[in-house]
Amino acid sequence: MFPLIKEILASNPSQADSSGLCVRGWVRTKRDMKNLVFVEVNDGSCFRSIQCTFDLSKDEGKTGMAETLAALGTGASVEITGDLVPSPAQGQTVEIAASSITLTGDAPGEEKNGIPPYPLQKKRHSLEFLREMPQLRARTNTLGAVMRLRSRLSWAVHQFFQDRGYQYLHTPIITGSDAEGAGAMFRVTTLDLAALAGGKKPDYTSDFFGRESFLTVSGQLEAEAYAAALSRVYTFGPTFRAENSNTARHLAEFWMIEPETAFFRLPENMALAEDFLRFCLTTILNECAEDLAFFDERIERGLIAGLRSVAETPFVHLSYTDAVKELEKAAASKTDLFEFKPCWGADLQSEHEKFLTEELVHGPVIVTDYPKEIKAFYMKMNSDGKTVRAMDVLVPRLGEIIGGSEREENLNALEARMESLGMESGHYSWYLDLRRYGTVPHAGFGLGFERLVQYVTGMANIRDVIPYPRAAGQLP
Ligand code: 4AD
Ligand code: MG
């Protein structure tokens, strides 16, 4: 395979194979200085571009190089051959003394043949502007760095779980069950919507699966079945939520990692979540220094120091009841601190999460034992009959990054809970089988992958950390 720019930049000009190299990529900038032309080429393999220097006085118009270079605009795709030499310029150790250039396509600097100029000229573009062109935005410094970190993090996820005896499980995308009970699911149907427009209730028995079906909101229930066979499993796949929340941390389509562990109770589950997050941060700190330095400088000042401190410090644990007490105390001492008054029984708002992580503990906090009313049906009840063995991991800047729990493994308790919520137990009979046959204590959690990428990059909007964001009203 031909070398990537990352490899060329890391090699040594004195090596035997440093002459006659070919650089392939896209032009970032071009500068002229008398007979010298400097072209910066980037191929996305690393943050840096490589400088290719053309000496036109040596070419003397023989190869048409001057004409090609004159026509070269930002975004042009090129193949440049030359020798790797030490660079006299600041900020780079090597450059290419170029001897030939081929344009593999076109990148008009001005409107040509009805094609508008390349939209990403050399200047800073707003992230909102870039969001309108997901097909081109990966060619910018910011999105390129995000996607490299995203890729490395995906690998870290597999490394972490595979090294601990977890089997990678592919759970279905299309499902008949609502795993979270949040009621925000996308319907999957082959029924003719136009024919139904008359206002009649659709007959789902004539639909593709003979019953109602949806895109999954979580692979957890299926993962529980496999944890009861393979002991330790994890999923890593797309999940869907039709939440109409237009926030900087919600997507309609996002990737989730869900480990599920047989014979685990809540404390072991919390320790796993903490180890997992720390492993991800350490990997990125050790292996993506160049991209991280960019985020630290341009996106979120102090990012690296913050991540390092989280990677090294044990997380604070707080019960929901204690968290609410702290919030009430803070609200009493400063009346306009919160828009939403904290009160036992209500979900924590993002302003409350922000206070807990950024003001109270100055780092991540795991909140446990939430009121049963605000959590999903499958969570294990505590002996108080009011709270469940839930855990949310909250981090500064972002709030909830992980949600999980110990599961109710007792058949009678689970049936009673489902009945009190009015759930159709017929649909969940397969799930109850796991409690009928060889039931064991077990626990798991879900990490929103884009929230993790947001956290390590400092990117403010979740739509800028996934290649093609899908959110309410947005399908470019
Ligand atoms: O807290 P959630 O809803 O938990 C579950 O789905 C459980 N089944 C997980 C489990 O125990 N196996 O979602 C888990 C995580 C959240 O903490 C958040 O990071 C992320 O998924 N998440 C979203 N990320 C982006 N956009 C959305 N709309 C999200 N909703 C949840
Ligand atoms: Mg949650």
Side-chain angles (χ1 to χ4, degrees), residues 21 67 113 160 256 278 326 461:
L21 280 176
E67 290 71 28
N113 304 332
F160 179 84
M256 187 152 50
R278 282 227 281 270
E326 292 291 348
N461 196 313

Side-chain angles (χ1 to χ4, degrees), residues 118-131:
Y118 182 59
L120 305 179
Q121 294 301 326
K122 190 184 158 42
K123 64 170 187 174
R124 271 218 213 168
H125 298 284
S126 75
L127 292 165
E128 291 78 13
F129 171 80
L130 294 175
R131 235 170 267 151

Side-chain angles (χ1 to χ4, degrees), residues 22 25 33 67 70 72 98 171 192 195 197 244 249-250 317 321 340 355 361 389 442 466:
C22 185
M33 228 174 74
E67 290 71 28
L72 207 61
T171 46
D192 180 356
N244 209 350
R249 36 172 232 162
H250 287 92
H317 299 176
T321 302
F340 298 91
F355 174 85
V361 309
R389 283 186 201 151
H442 60 292
I466 184 165

Side-chain angles (χ1 to χ4, degrees), residues 375 392 400 403:
K375 288 293 179 189
D392 275 6
E400 181 189 336

Side-chain angles (χ1 to χ4, degrees), residues 180 217-218 220 241 243 249-251 254 256 258 378 400-405 407 444-448 451 462:
E180 288 303 303
V217 295
S218 154
Q220 177 196 320
R241 298 200 184 178
E243 290 164 307
R249 36 172 232 162
H250 287 92
L251 288 165
F254 64 99
M256 187 152 50
E258 294 185 278
Y378 50 71
E400 181 189 336
I401 194 165
I402 286 179
S405 69
R407 322 301 190 191
F445 61 82
L447 168 81
R451 298 229 178 134
I462 197 165

Side-chain angles (χ1 to χ4, degrees), residues 254-293:
F254 64 99
W255 286 63
M256 187 152 50
I257 296 128
E258 294 185 278
E260 192 69 32
T261 320
F263 302 100
F264 252 26
R265 302 207 185 259
L266 194 62
E268 294 133 308
N269 202 39
M270 289 161 71
L272 183 74
E274 193 172 325
D275 286 350
F276 174 43
L277 271 183
R278 282 227 281 270
F279 178 84
C280 290
L281 300 193
T282 308
T283 303
I284 292 301
L285 284 163
N286 290 343
E287 297 187 25
C288 304
E290 199 173 270
D291 288 322
L292 264 191

